[in-house]
Amino acid sequence: MGPATLRDPFCFILAGRGGGAPSGRSVLEWPVQDLLTPRQMALADRLAVDGGIASLTLMENAGQAVAYEVTQRFPLQPVLVLCGPGNNGGDGFVVARLLSERGWPVRVGATCAKSDLSGDAAMMARMWTGPVERIGSETWGDFGIIVDALFGSGLSRDIEGELADLVAAINASAGHVVAIDIPSGIDGETGAVRGTAIEADLTVTFFRHKPGHLLYPGARFCGDVLLADIGIPDSVLDELNITLHENDPHLWSLPRRRADGHKFDAGNCVVISGDNLHTGAARLSAWGAVRAGAGLVTLAGNAPALMVHAAHVTAIMLETCDDGAALAEMLEDRRKNCVVLGPGLGVGEPARQMVLAALASAAAVVLDADALTSFAERPTALFEAIRQRDGRSTVMTPHMGEFARLFGAGGGAKTEKAISAAGISGAVILLKGADTVIAHPEGRAVINTTGTPLLATAGAGDVLAGLIGGLLAQHMPAFEAACAAAYIHGRAAQAHGRPGMIADDLPAMVPAILADLAVAFD
């Protein structure tokens, strides 16, 4: 008879990323989009203990969650549990004990002797009655499963020397790797690799995700990420001053059309075109704005460019606009309430004048690509023009290269960079990438997780700029519009899901995503 599976009515999986929720477990139905830094997570633990929950109970529940996932996902096979000197190691001792009690062959290695452990980790180590071997860089034989309980999300130093050799041996092994909290070597706050890191197939974390689970390169090391409730009450969140979230439809509401509304109620998004040899990017943005639901979309540019557009579009309006003065005059019509500049615009003084004219208007403004690069040598002029808008919606959508031209390369977490840039510029910053970060000038930010490698294709960012513009035209606030557009953009690529996807494919996928969201959140 095989080993019994773990049964615990208390420990539920809240959310899964990658592999989803495992069979046989309950999935709790409420938003879990708060992200906690390691320091905030440590405070959450302390607040739970101060509220009467024993710290040993929290550790037991954490180990129980990991052991359960092992028994549910894998057949009976040898397990190696590698324990570090802190609470992460304590969790590992719980996993080893629970699996061993259920008949799994378990071997435990530790970076220190049992006698060197303290606190809850020492208590859990004493409850493990099997041998504990000191681990170095040697190969540990054949194990079907390796449980990484070396270091948690609070790792504050690089992994070097023999431990680095151990990580290399684990990564070279054929075993399935299950990480407790976060793969050892990944900074839980920034997602950075601290020297080297374990490549996990599954990560089980607790209470709330950490930024390092979502930010690259850390996200690449986590494998499937499951979030377990270990008994920390949600009430502790009120004391954590959380400013970082995972992008989620619970954070924003999409515009709704009134039964008696007309097209101008849904706004008129103007997209500024490049010259006649550079029209494609602006057209992609225009299609993004149309599919996002803007009541009207206008492509504006010089006459030769409009002749090219006229051969390609029907539902999009065309209007002549040769320079910044002409744009300023166009935007005196308050019905044109949003303008997207940058895709295919060209770099230089004419582009700068267009941008400054748009920023001087009452319209919401999306600045992308060439609109940003045109201010690479004069970023303060751009920021001053944005700050003079007195809070009128402005969104900047740089990739990392464009970001560096305006704000400098700098170090630190991507979230910190985006939040700092938003504060400096006064604009909402959407810093693109596999882990797109959207930051508000007031200091809050989200990390978008709907991205896919399919979006690494020319023109995808132009569609994103248009999606933002289409939502802004419908009077969505700038931060919410940027968050929603990033989420929808990724979902559209996921819905296409096939190699060979090009940016032109994305706008047509958007209506189905909007319909799904309308049903899910009606």
Side-chain angles (χ1 to χ4, degrees):
M1 185 174 180
T5 57
L6 295 167
R7 301 176 63 86
D8 181 6
F10 172 71
C11 185
F12 292 90
I13 294 299
L14 292 179
R17 178 172 293 107
S23 59
R25 297 300 293 238
S26 298
V27 178
L28 298 183
E29 299 294 339
W30 63 70
V32 289
Q33 68 268 20
D34 299 319
L35 297 175
L36 302 188
T37 66
R39 290 183 293 275
Q40 288 172 322
M41 185 64 209
L43 178 56
D45 281 335
R46 290 198 297 273
L47 291 170
V49 171
D50 291 344
I53 300 173
S55 58
L56 280 172
T57 298
L58 297 177
M59 185 171 286
E60 181 75 15
N61 290 340
Q64 168 76 16
V66 177
Y68 180 90
E69 292 308 323
V70 170
T71 64
Q72 293 300 295
R73 286 176 173 252
F74 306 106
L76 179 66
Q77 56 193 298
V79 178
L80 171 64
V81 181
L82 299 175
C83 298
N87 285 342
N88 200 249
D91 297 340
F93 280 108
V94 176
V95 173
R97 169 170 50 82
L98 293 177
L99 290 178
S100 181
E101 288 174 355
R102 285 152 180 84
W104 288 63
V106 178
R107 189 172 169 185
V108 174
T111 59
C112 62
K114 273 189 178 183
S115 58
D116 294 330
L117 296 171
S118 61
D120 292 347
M123 292 284 291
M124 292 305 186
R126 285 194 288 271
M127 294 175 68
W128 165 250
T129 57
V132 177
E133 304 173 55
R134 289 295 299 273
I135 55 177
S137 60
E138 66 273 13
T139 300
W140 279 71
D142 296 325
F143 292 91
I145 301 166
I146 300 173
V147 177
D148 167 24
L150 293 170
F151 305 102
S153 60
L155 180 67
S156 59
R157 59 184 175 85
D158 288 354
I159 294 179
E160 301 172 328
E162 286 194 347
L163 282 177
D165 294 336
L166 174 64
V167 169
I170 293 169
N171 290 342
S173 74
H176 296 283
V177 179
V178 179
I180 298 179
D181 189 23
I182 200 166
S184 291
I186 298 300
D187 188 304
E189 184 166 2
T190 69
V193 176
R194 302 300 304 265
T196 187
I198 286 176
E199 298 171 6
D201 300 294
L202 170 69
T203 297
V204 181
T205 193
F206 314 115
F207 186 51
R208 291 296 186 272
H209 290 105
K210 317 308 178 293
H213 293 127
L214 280 62
L215 295 171
Y216 281 85
R220 181 169 57 82
F221 287 76
C222 292
D224 294 346
V225 181
L226 294 178
L227 182 64
D229 176 4
I230 59 172
I232 299 174
D234 286 347
S235 58
V236 305
L237 297 171
D238 296 336
E239 300 186 48
L240 299 183
N241 188 31
I242 298 169
T243 58
L244 187 60
H245 299 84
E246 178 178 349
N247 196 12
D248 183 276
H250 291 91
L251 297 175
W252 33 266
S253 298
L254 291 172
R256 290 175 179 264
R257 296 283 187 99
R258 294 201 326 261
D260 61 345
H262 54 78
K263 62 186 177 229
F264 282 107
D265 290 334
N268 184 347
C269 180
V270 176
V271 179
I272 305 301
S273 175
D275 63 33
N276 58 310
L277 294 180
H278 301 88
T279 62
R283 199 157 51 248
L284 285 170
S285 291
W287 279 119
V290 166
R291 293 301 193 178
L296 300 92
V297 175
T298 301
L299 274 163
N302 63 32
L306 296 185
M307 293 300 292
V308 177
H309 288 302
H312 291 276
V313 300
T314 51
I316 295 168
M317 304 174 69
L318 305 174
E319 188 166 340
T320 302
C321 181
D322 293 311
D323 53 30
L327 178 58
E329 183 178 353
M330 177 188 297
L331 294 179
E332 289 177 5
D333 179 355
R334 294 296 185 93
R335 295 177 301 177
K336 293 181 172 68
N337 64 332
C338 180
V339 57
V340 177
L341 303 100
L345 183 60
V347 176
E349 184 59 25
R352 283 193 291 272
Q353 292 305 313
M354 286 272 200
V355 169
L356 294 174
L359 292 174
S361 75
V365 177
V366 181
L367 301 177
D368 183 42
D370 292 349
L372 302 174
T373 301
S374 291
F375 284 88
E377 297 180 0
R378 299 175 55 191
T380 55
L382 175 62
F383 305 155
E384 181 60 29
I386 293 171
R387 286 192 291 266
Q388 289 178 359
R389 287 171 58 77
D390 295 327
R392 293 194 296 276
S393 293
T394 310
V395 180
M396 300 168 65
T397 60
H399 56 56
M400 288 302 296
E402 293 158 349
F403 183 91
R405 291 174 200 134
L406 291 177
F407 300 101
K414 189 172 185 178
T415 49
E416 295 173 354
K417 291 181 179 180
I419 290 170
S420 175
I424 291 169
S425 67
V428 169
I429 299 293
L430 187 150
L431 183 51
K432 293 184 285 197
D435 51 357
T436 291
V437 174
I438 303 100
H440 192 283
E442 293 178 354
R444 63 184 187 273
V446 306
I447 303 172
N448 187 66
T449 59
T450 63
T452 161
L454 293 173
L455 288 171
T457 185
D462 304 321
V463 176
L464 175 59
L467 290 173
I468 299 169
L471 295 174
L472 287 172
Q474 297 171 81
H475 312 290
M476 257 187 112
F479 183 69
E480 287 78 358
C483 292
Y487 181 91
I488 293 164
H489 189 241
R491 285 281 306 276
Q494 292 173 1
H496 186 282
R498 296 182 295 277
M501 186 198 82
I502 60 175
D504 304 62
D505 298 323
L506 287 169
M509 309 303 297
V510 170
I513 304 304
L514 294 176
D516 288 345
L517 290 171
V519 170
F521 294 93
D522 194 2

